[in-house]
Structures are given as C-alpha cells and as structure tokens.
Amino acid sequence: MNWLELQQQLTASKPVEVFFRDDDVDEDEPTLRRLLDLFAGKNAPVILGVIPAKLTDEAVSLLAKFSDSIEIVQHGWQHANHELTGRKCEFGHSRSFDEQFKDIARGQAQMHEAFGHDWFPAFIPPWNRCTANTHQALDQLGFRVLSQLHSVTSPLTGFSFQEISVTLDLFRWKDGATLKPQEELLSAISQQLTSSQPIGIMLHHKVMNDEAFLFVERLLETLRQSSNARVHTFGNLL
Ligand SMILES: [Zn+2]
C-alpha cells in the first residue's frame, strides 16, 4: 500500500470518520507546538489528552492560542503506574473504586480550573487500560467518552459515556518508541476503511520525530483531498 493507492481507495470509499488523539500533554514543548501548528495549518482538529497533575501554566496559555483546532480531554491524573507486577496501569486492578474515583475527580477539578468549560469530558486511561471500577467512577462523574485502544470485545454500553477508542498507534513501544514502517501504517488504515467504526490514530508528540510529523502531514493532506473523509473531535462523533 502506498499513498496513491490509499488516495484511490478513499475516493471509492463510503464516508470515513477519522480522529487524531495525542496523549501526554503536560508542558509547553517544541514537539507539542509543532503538532498544534500542523493541525491548525491543515484546518483539522486534534484531540489532546492532558495529564492534570503535571499541567503547567505555560501549556495552558499555549493551548488557548489553538482553541479553534483542538479538543482538550482528560488523561490520567499523574500518569503513574500503581501495579507492582504485570502491565503498567494507573487505573488497574490493584486500585480500589475509592482510589480511582478520587484521582479522576481531582483530575476533573483541575481540568475545570485550567480550562473552564473549554474542555470535553472524555477520559483516556494511561496505557489504554482500566477496570470496571474506572467505568463506574467515570459514569458517576458524568464523563461522556472513554477512549482506550480498540479491542475485539464489543464496546461498553449502559454508562453515561460511550467508548470511542483509537484503532492505530503510530509507534511500537518495545525497547523505546519506534515509528512503524509507512507501508504497515498505510495497510492498517486501508483495512480499517472498510469498518463501520471511526478510525482513531494515536499520537504521542513527545516521541514524534521529523518522519512521524511528515507521515501525519501527508495523511491529513490525503484525507483532505477526499470528499468522503472527515476529521472529527469526540464531541462531534457522539
Ligand atoms: Zn499516556
């Protein structure tokens, strides 16, 4: 699969919903600025997962300048791992409902303090993993979206939130972050074009290099050239 083939497939495709979710926003840094400039320049929205306990005033001021092209949402309170064994989790099995509720509620309060009403009540659990206690806490706190990594199990239902999860990670994380080969990324996007769910591209500005930025830029251009593709926020996907 190459760019031209993807372009042709998009032209012949049914309408395609796409979103870009960038995680781990905490401070004003060059890679965050570059990402914000890229999406603003392409007139496409990017969803930003903010770490409430680490958010700096400088980052809040930076985001305010891009309010037309971003949707701010809540990531883990501190992005801290609390599991002693097994896979990393901030909202994992070793944490009680009360512990999880407290972290999400204080994150929510911090989001309100930093952004007022200018953020969307979506929650991204760090490492894209959480438990039934997390679901219950999000429901009680009135969250409208839970975004994890898409799995084969059917999306959760019966809560205040809908699950809108990412379907493709640009990076591989074994022994440090490595951008997946372009061919592999384009093939994955091509396969997902036939699915009925939105295509969710997961970004991490902190590890994005020139190659990763160029890939995202090219993808935004390819999507824009097709009248069948739309780039969304969580708010307008609901
Ligand atoms: Zn994260």
Side-chain angles (χ1 to χ4, degrees):
M1 178 63 57
N2 60 35
W3 287 107
L4 183 62
E5 286 165 340
L6 182 68
Q7 180 73 66
Q8 287 164 346
Q9 194 186 347
L10 269 168
T11 306
S13 148
K14 61 180 177 50
V16 183
E17 321 291 2
V18 184
F19 67 92
F20 291 83
R21 194 193 89 192
D22 174 56
D23 291 358
D24 304 345
V25 173
D26 50 9
E27 57 182 19
D28 180 349
E29 55 194 325
T31 48
L32 179 61
R33 286 176 172 252
R34 187 169 174 184
L35 188 87
L36 293 169
D37 282 334
L38 172 60
F39 279 83
K42 298 292 174 200
N43 225 348
V46 59
I47 299 165
L48 301 173
V50 166
I51 303 170
K54 294 188 174 174
L55 183 65
T56 64
D57 293 343
E58 291 76 16
V60 175
S61 309
L62 174 66
L63 297 187
K65 294 182 196 139
F66 290 89
S67 55
D68 291 342
S69 57
I70 60 176
E71 180 179 57
I72 299 168
V73 306
Q74 185 175 334
H75 201 15
W77 165 241
Q78 310 180 87
H79 216 295
N81 176 32
H82 294 281
E83 302 297 310
L84 295 175
T85 57
R87 291 159 45 150
K88 289 179 181 174
C89 268
E90 187 169 23
F91 298 90
H93 290 288
S94 70
R95 304 202 71 212
S96 68
F97 172 79
D98 287 346
E99 288 168 330
Q100 295 204 22
F101 185 91
K102 194 175 146 213
D103 273 6
I104 298 171
R106 60 183 172 176
Q108 192 179 38
Q110 177 65 37
M111 295 293 284
H112 279 304
E113 199 182 310
F115 303 112
H117 293 292
D118 296 331
W119 68 286
F120 186 80
F123 182 75
I124 305 164
W127 299 284
N128 289 300
R129 288 188 281 274
C130 62
T131 67
N133 282 332
T134 326
H135 305 154
Q136 209 189 328
L138 293 172
D139 190 62
Q140 287 187 20
L141 291 165
F143 277 82
R144 301 206 34 221
V145 168
L146 167 65
S147 186
Q148 314 182 83
L149 185 60
H150 175 74
S151 67
V152 284
T153 55
S154 23
L156 295 159
T157 54
F159 296 101
S160 67
F161 58 83
Q162 267 188 45
E163 190 179 344
I164 307 179
S165 290
V166 290
T167 57
L168 180 62
D169 189 346
L170 287 199
F171 288 88
R172 223 184 292 293
W173 294 91
K174 202 170 168 5
D175 308 321
T178 315
L179 185 69
K180 292 175 183 168
Q182 176 176 295
E183 159 73 27
E184 181 183 334
L185 292 169
L186 293 180
S187 295
I189 293 168
S190 161
Q191 279 168 25
Q192 292 179 11
L193 285 178
T194 56
S195 152
S196 58
Q197 71 183 14
I199 297 177
I201 312 282
M202 176 160 56
L203 310 174
H204 281 88
H205 63 276
K206 285 186 190 293
V207 297
M208 284 174 69
N209 54 12
D210 286 347
E211 206 185 346
F213 277 108
L214 282 173
F215 180 86
V216 174
E217 184 174 2
R218 190 100 196 248
L219 181 56
L220 286 169
E221 279 164 10
T222 304
L223 293 171
R224 192 168 57 174
Q225 279 163 22
S226 161
S227 54
N228 294 322
R230 288 273 181 284
V231 181
H232 292 278
T233 57
F234 287 143
N236 56 36
L237 276 172
L238 277 187

